[in-house]
Amino acid sequence: MHLLNLGILAHVDAGKTSLAERLLHSVGVIDEIGSVDHGSTRTDTLALERQRGITIKSAVVSFPVDGVTVNLIDTPGHPDFIAEVERVLGVLDGAVLVVSAVEGVQAQTRVLMRTLQRLRIPTLLFVNKIDRRGARYEGVLRAIRERLTPAIVPMGVAHGLGTPGARFDAGLGAESADVLADHDEKLLEEYVEHGGMSHSTVRAALAAQSRSALVHPVYFGSAITGAGVDALIAGVRDLLPPAGGDPDGPVSGTVFKVERGPAGEKVAYARMFSGTLRTRDRVPFGGDRGNGAGRNGGAGRKGGAGRREGRVTAISVFDRGTDVRDDAVPAGRIARLWGLADVRIGDALGEPRKAHEHFFAPPTLETVVVPGPGVDPRRLHTALTQLAEQDPLIGLRHDEVRQELSVSLYGEVQKEVVQATLADEFGLEVDFRETTVICVERPAGTGAAVEFNKKGDNPFLATVGLRVEPAPTGSGVDFRLEVELGSMPYAFFKAVEDTVRETLGQGLHGWQVDDCAVTMTHCGYSPRQSHAHQGFDKSMSSTGADFRGLTPLVLMAALRRAGTRVHEPMHRFRVEAPADTLGALLPALAALRAVPRTTETRGTSCVLEGEVPAGQVHALGRRLPGLTRGEGELESAFDHYAPIAYGTVPERPRTDHNPLNRREYLLNVTRRVGG
C-alpha cells in the first residue's frame, strides 16, 4: 500500500482548514464541504474550535488518491498553539504550506518554512484565496522567493485574480528548468549543451528534487471555489515521497498526540516507522523525551520518565475520512491506540528512533490560575493535569504553600482557550492573574559546600559535598563525580543526582537554574546496621531519604556562594513598515527596551531587525498599527536569554521546602531530622 502522511500548515486565517475540507470533497470522502464560519468542518472537532473558527488541536483524516492513501493532518495556525505543530512535524512524510494570495507571506509562514527546511520535509506551497479581492500573483511569488526560499517552481499561472471566476492553469514554465539545474550538475550540463531540457526530464527532475526537499512546487487556487485544487492533489500524489518503513522489522513508533476517550481513558495517536503493532501486544514505551518542562516548567513534570510497558487493547486506523477498528497497524501508518494508560506525548513505542527534539522555542510566559466561586481546587488540579498530558509544554506548577496553580503559555489567546476548555469540558470557571515572563537563573561564579555525616548540625546520615560552576550556554545541568563510584551504593549517587536536578528547578530567586555544572566532591554513608535476631535498624543506617534530604541544603549553600544572575527571554524581531513612520517607531521601540540591530530602507518601506524582551512582544504588536497607519508587520520568535540589567531582579515564589532557610526546611521535611 502506498501511504503518505501529509501535514497542512499555515499562518492563521490563510485558509488551511478550508483547504482540508476542499481536498476531502474533491476526492469524494465527504459530500458537502464544511464551513469554518459555521463550525461544520471535519477536522475542527472540538466545540471550542467550532465556536472560535480556529484550529487548536491537530486532527487526522484519511483519503485515497489513485492508489495512494493520504493521512491528512490539519494543524493550528495561531502561534499560541505552535506546540501542536511541533508534535506533528516528526511524523510527516511531506507538507503543504498554505499562503494567502491577499496577505502574502506572513510572520508565521516564515517560521514554519524555516522549520520545514531545517528538517528537510518535502513541501508544496499552495497560494490560497485567488478569488478574493486584492489577490496577487507576481507579488506573492516575489515575496515567496525573497522571504521564504528562491528554490520554487511555479506549477502554472493564475488568471482572473480577485473574482469568483479566478482559475489556475497548470503547466511548467521555462524558468523551472533554471531552478532545477541549479541543484543538479548533470542537468546543468544537459541544459547548457542542448539549450534546454525535455519535458520528461524536467518532470522527473522535479519529482526527485521535490521529494528531496531541494525545490518547492507552488500552486495557486481557492479552497472555496476549488480552483487549483485538482492540480495540488496531483502534486501530492506525484511529487511527495511515500511513507517508508519495514512492516516486518522491529516495532518502532512515536506518539504525537494524546486525548481522553468518552470514559476518560487515554487514547494515543502514533505513527509507526517500523514493524507491525497488534492488539494484545505488550509494547515498551517512554524514554528521555525532553518534554519541555525542564527549562520553563520549573517544578512541573520532569522529562525522562523512563521506559514503561503496556498492552494494546484496541487499534483504529484512518480510512476514507474516518477511523475504523483494526487488529494491527503496520509501518508507515498512523493509528489510535487504547490500553497504554501511562503513555505521554513524545513517547517512543518499541525501539526508540532518536531523542525527541524541539523545533520551536518553549513557552516564555506563565500565569496563575484563579479558581472561581465554588470551584474545588482538587478538581481544578486534576483538570489541568489532564490538559498538561495533552500539551507537554504546559508546565504545571503547584505552590503548596499558597495553594496556587500556574501554567506556562505562548500567548493570551492560549490563556483564553485554557479558560474556555476548563469551563466547557470540566465545568470549572476560572480566571487568571496578569501574565508574567518566565526567567532563568545561571551561576555567576563558582561555589562549594559540604556537610559531613554525624558532624555539626547535620541531621541526616549522609555526607554530601557539591561544587557549582557555570557551564556553556544551552548545556542544561551537567552532573559530575569527583569521588569514586564504588565508594558507596550506586542508589545513593542516583538519589543525589536526581535531587540536584529537581532542586535546581528553583534557584536563589525562584527560577529554573540552567547551564551549570554540579560536581559531587564528597560522599559518605553509614553502612547497614542490624541487631541480633532483629531486622534492619533504620536509625543507624543510611537510606536514600538521607541523601535526598541533605542534598538541597548543600546545593543551595554552594549556589549561594556562587551567586546567580537572572536572565529574561529575548525575541528577535523584524518590523516592516512605511519608511516615513520610522521617526515614530524608534522612540516606541526604545520605550519597550527593544534594540534595533539593523535598519534597511526598501523604496517606501523600511525593515528593522533586532531584539526585544519577550514580555514586551505583546505590547509591541498592540502599538504597531497605530504607529504605522495600520501598515506595519511584526515577526518575532524566541532567540536567547539575556541578563536582566535594569530595575529590581524579578523573584518567583518558591513551591519547595525552601532549602535557602535551613530551619524552615528542616521543619518542613517530614523525613528523619535529628537534634
Side-chain angles (χ1 to χ4, degrees):
M1 182 189 296
H2 186 136
L3 291 166
L4 170 64
N5 296 297
L6 178 72
I8 297 189
L9 299 86
H11 186 101
V12 67
D13 290 335
K16 174 179 45 60
T17 299
S18 297
L19 176 60
E21 289 291 308
R22 173 59 67 175
L23 288 171
L24 294 175
H25 181 266
S26 296
V27 298
V29 168
I30 57 176
D31 297 325
E32 185 176 347
I33 296 176
S35 166
V36 173
D37 293 337
H38 296 153
S40 57
T41 59
R42 180 64 61 97
T43 54
D44 284 346
T45 56
L46 297 179
L48 191 57
E49 292 177 314
R50 297 178 184 274
Q51 293 165 13
R52 297 183 67 99
I54 61 173
T55 302
I56 298 169
K57 295 290 184 183
S58 59
V60 183
V61 65
S62 179
F63 64 86
V65 179
D66 298 336
V68 179
T69 297
V70 179
N71 286 324
L72 182 68
I73 308 176
D74 187 18
T75 63
H78 199 286
D80 279 14
F81 308 108
I82 198 68
E84 278 292 314
V85 181
E86 172 179 336
R87 293 191 280 275
V88 168
L89 290 175
V91 304
L92 297 182
D93 302 305
V96 173
L97 180 62
V98 184
V99 181
S100 168
V102 180
E103 289 84 8
V105 175
Q106 296 170 278
Q108 188 73 352
T109 320
R110 286 167 56 87
V111 172
L112 293 169
M113 188 63 182
R114 280 197 300 266
T115 307
L116 290 165
Q117 289 179 305
R118 186 167 67 249
L119 300 174
R120 299 193 65 79
I121 295 176
T123 302
L124 311 180
L125 281 80
F126 184 76
V127 182
N128 192 26
K129 302 184 181 181
I130 64 171
D131 58 319
R132 297 283 185 89
R133 181 179 298 177
R136 298 165 294 141
Y137 178 77
E138 292 293 347
V140 173
L141 277 179
R142 184 168 56 252
I144 290 173
R145 287 192 181 97
E146 292 175 354
R147 303 187 62 191
L148 296 183
T149 173
I152 61 171
V153 178
M155 299 300 291
V157 180
H159 300 281
L161 275 76
T163 69
R167 70 182 194 278
F168 178 69
D169 293 338
L172 288 171
E175 71 274 14
S176 60
D178 296 338
V179 177
L180 295 169
D182 286 342
H183 297 89
D184 190 317
E185 290 186 4
K186 291 183 178 179
L187 281 179
L188 181 58
E189 290 176 7
E190 179 182 343
Y191 185 62
V192 172
E193 289 177 7
H194 300 93
M197 288 183 276
S198 67
H199 181 73
S200 60
T201 300
V202 170
R203 292 293 304 188
L206 176 63
Q209 294 189 23
S210 298
R211 288 170 179 168
S212 300
L214 295 174
V215 300
H216 305 283
V218 181
Y219 300 84
F220 281 71
S222 168
I224 299 301
T225 67
V229 173
D230 287 342
L232 175 64
I233 291 173
V236 169
R237 178 193 64 208
D238 299 334
L239 302 178
L240 294 178
D246 179 6
D248 297 321
V251 169
S252 179
T254 298
V255 175
F256 65 93
K257 177 178 178 178
V258 173
E259 64 183 16
R260 292 276 177 173
E265 76 280 16
K266 276 189 180 180
V267 183
Y269 286 66
R271 157 76 190 266
M272 297 302 299
F273 291 97
S274 173
T276 299
L277 189 62
R278 296 176 173 84
T279 53
R280 295 181 295 280
D281 280 356
R282 292 197 68 85
V283 59
F285 57 88
D288 188 2
R289 300 167 294 106
N291 64 13
R295 167 165 285 183
N296 287 331
R301 301 175 331 281
K302 294 176 284 184
R307 299 290 279 174
R308 285 120 33 221
E309 192 176 81
R311 185 185 299 278
V312 177
T313 58
I315 296 173
S316 69
V317 296
F318 295 91
D319 185 48
R320 298 191 65 84
T322 185
D323 63 303
V324 294
R325 288 299 175 102
D326 206 332
D327 293 330
V329 52
R333 297 207 73 161
I334 289 175
R336 301 173 76 210
L337 307 175
W338 281 261
L340 308 180
D342 296 326
V343 75
R344 300 178 183 180
I345 291 171
D347 277 347
L349 300 177
E351 292 193 4
R353 294 177 64 241
K354 61 179 181 179
H356 179 66
E357 58 180 307
H358 288 290
F359 313 126
F360 302 101
T364 55
L365 305 173
E366 75 173 352
T367 183
V368 173
V369 184
V370 180
V375 171
D376 183 351
R378 290 170 297 182
R379 284 188 60 210
L380 177 58
H381 187 276
T382 300
L384 286 170
T385 300
Q386 289 192 19
L387 292 184
E389 288 174 353
Q390 299 171 28
D391 187 346
L393 294 183
I394 290 181
L396 181 61
R397 297 179 78 242
H398 183 207
D399 185 338
E400 295 182 3
V401 177
R402 296 167 186 79
Q403 291 299 301
E404 292 178 348
L405 290 165
S406 302
V407 292
S408 54
L409 304 165
Y410 278 101
E412 296 299 313
V413 173
Q414 189 182 15
K415 184 161 68 174
E416 296 172 15
V417 168
V418 170
Q419 184 179 40
T421 303
L422 289 172
D424 296 345
E425 296 186 14
F426 299 95
L428 302 173
E429 298 293 336
V430 302
D431 206 343
F432 299 93
R433 292 191 192 154
E434 183 180 359
T435 302
T436 57
V437 174
I438 301 175
C439 298
V440 299
E441 293 182 52
R442 289 175 177 160
T446 299
V450 61
E451 294 208 22
F452 294 97
N453 186 10
K454 301 178 181 177
K455 289 187 179 180
D457 60 349
N458 175 12
F460 302 99
L461 292 179
T463 293
V464 174
L466 298 171
R467 183 175 66 248
V468 176
E469 53 200 322
T473 301
S475 61
V477 175
D478 184 15
F479 184 78
R480 307 167 180 171
L481 293 179
E482 263 184 16
V483 292
E484 291 291 336
L485 189 58
S487 57
M488 67 179 187
Y490 173 75
F492 295 163
F493 286 112
K494 190 70 169 65
V496 173
E497 179 179 357
D498 290 347
T499 306
V500 162
R501 297 185 184 280
E502 183 177 350
T503 303
L504 289 177
Q506 301 178 71
L508 303 181
H509 300 278
W511 304 104
Q512 174 92 13
V513 181
D514 214 354
D515 301 334
C516 70
V518 179
T519 304
M520 190 169 187
T521 58
H522 297 75
C523 68
Y525 73 109
S526 294
R528 184 182 181 92
Q529 301 288 328
S530 60
H531 301 290
H533 311 298
Q534 295 182 12
F536 167 53
D537 188 346
K538 189 174 180 181
S539 67
M540 300 170 60
S541 311
S542 296
T543 67
D546 288 293
F547 289 89
R548 288 191 294 271
L550 181 59
T551 296
L553 289 173
V554 176
L555 181 60
M556 284 295 112
L559 193 64
R560 184 182 271 135
R561 289 164 187 163
T564 64
R565 295 191 69 181
V566 176
H567 292 59
E568 66 178 334
M570 301 293 292
H571 280 224
R572 61 179 180 274
F573 75 85
R574 182 183 187 276
V575 170
E576 186 168 350
D580 61 359
T581 65
L582 190 60
L585 266 175
L586 291 175
L589 289 172
L592 296 172
R593 294 189 289 113
V595 180
R597 299 297 185 190
T598 62
T599 304
E600 181 183 353
T601 302
R602 300 176 180 173
T604 59
S605 296
C606 66
V607 177
L608 290 84
E609 295 186 358
E611 300 171 357
V612 61
Q616 301 294 343
V617 170
H618 185 64
L620 177 56
R622 213 172 43 237
R623 294 193 60 186
L624 191 63
L627 296 167
T628 61
R629 301 190 297 273
E631 299 179 47
E633 180 182 310
L634 171 66
E635 176 184 337
S636 76
F638 171 82
D639 189 64
H640 67 283
Y641 285 88
I644 293 179
Y646 63 91
T648 305
V649 174
E651 302 279 337
R652 193 187 207 186
R654 304 195 72 86
T655 60
D656 57 10
H657 294 308
N658 192 16
L660 289 171
N661 184 320
R662 187 181 187 91
R663 185 172 183 276
E664 178 184 338
Y665 176 80
L666 293 177
L667 285 173
N668 285 327
V669 172
T670 57
R671 302 177 180 89
R672 178 183 57 231
V673 292

